[in-house]
Amino acid sequence: MTAIAPSSQQKPDFSEERLLPQARRQLPGSINTSKPAAEPRSGHLNLDTFSPVNQNGSFEFDRVLKSGELYKRTRKTKQWKKFYLVLRPNLLSAYKSPSEERLHKQISLSDLNAVAHLKDRKGRRENLFCLYTPARNYHFQARDEKDAKAW
């Protein structure tokens, strides 16, 4: 048996000081040995970035993005009735009055296929738009064109 002599070449230095700044970044799932891990406060992990509660103490999904009175076309009689709509990040709610006491209808925004500006075939109504879902279509009339586009 012959022994192989060690190479006289220098081995590259891969220590942390010699790495490029991009290579020093912490990889997901790896342990950072440069700083000790912070202790959780009162036994709870710091999950502020994942919390659905905002700084005011209310739930983020309950935040009102837009609200106002609109006319909605009824399903059977095709008459137009006034409703108070409230748009939240994941839900559109229709109430009978601005006090939001009696909920009439809720539409999940994840169910929407499209939202489109409409023109009345008979020419009687303006500022119309429609929400299209797989189950049915919802026709609304806003006060003016600006309001219809905002919805």
Side-chain angles (χ1 to χ4, degrees):
M1 256 171 104
T2 58
I4 301 175
S7 174
S8 62
Q9 295 177 348
Q10 289 276 344
K11 291 185 180 180
D13 184 16
F14 291 113
S15 66
E16 191 173 320
E17 292 80 26
R18 302 266 311 165
L19 293 176
L20 297 173
Q22 295 89 358
R24 289 186 195 152
R25 291 189 192 133
Q26 187 74 20
L27 295 174
S30 61
I31 299 173
N32 185 358
T33 57
S34 62
K35 295 180 184 176
E39 292 293 321
R41 294 182 301 194
S42 66
H44 295 287
L45 295 174
N46 186 6
L47 300 175
D48 291 338
T49 57
F50 302 105
S51 177
V53 179
N54 64 17
Q55 294 174 344
N56 298 332
S58 60
F59 287 101
E60 189 63 28
F61 57 82
D62 204 30
R63 179 174 47 107
V64 175
L65 301 175
K66 184 166 179 55
S67 62
E69 287 186 344
L70 296 172
Y71 285 92
K72 179 183 155 304
R73 192 175 79 175
T74 60
R75 193 173 192 176
K76 291 184 180 180
T77 62
K78 310 292 187 209
Q79 293 179 345
W80 292 88
K81 293 192 176 185
K82 189 184 279 190
F83 286 95
Y84 186 77
L85 266 62
V86 178
L87 179 64
R88 293 185 172 91
N90 60 348
L91 197 64
L92 179 67
S93 304
Y95 296 94
K96 294 283 186 179
S97 67
S99 63
E100 298 181 23
E101 292 173 355
R102 187 169 169 217
L103 178 66
H104 175 70
K105 184 75 179 169
Q106 283 187 332
I107 304 167
S108 175
L109 298 183
S110 62
D111 291 341
L112 288 179
N113 290 341
V115 178
H117 182 74
L118 295 178
K119 290 190 177 183
D120 189 18
R121 289 185 238 159
K122 297 178 181 177
R124 294 180 189 165
R125 296 195 172 263
E126 296 177 346
N127 313 316
L128 300 176
F129 64 97
C130 185
L131 306 178
Y132 296 94
T133 66
R136 64 173 288 204
N137 302 332
Y138 300 92
H139 298 265
F140 294 101
Q141 180 185 16
R143 286 186 295 232
D144 51 28
E145 189 174 342
K146 181 182 173 186
D147 197 31
K149 286 182 180 182
W151 279 101

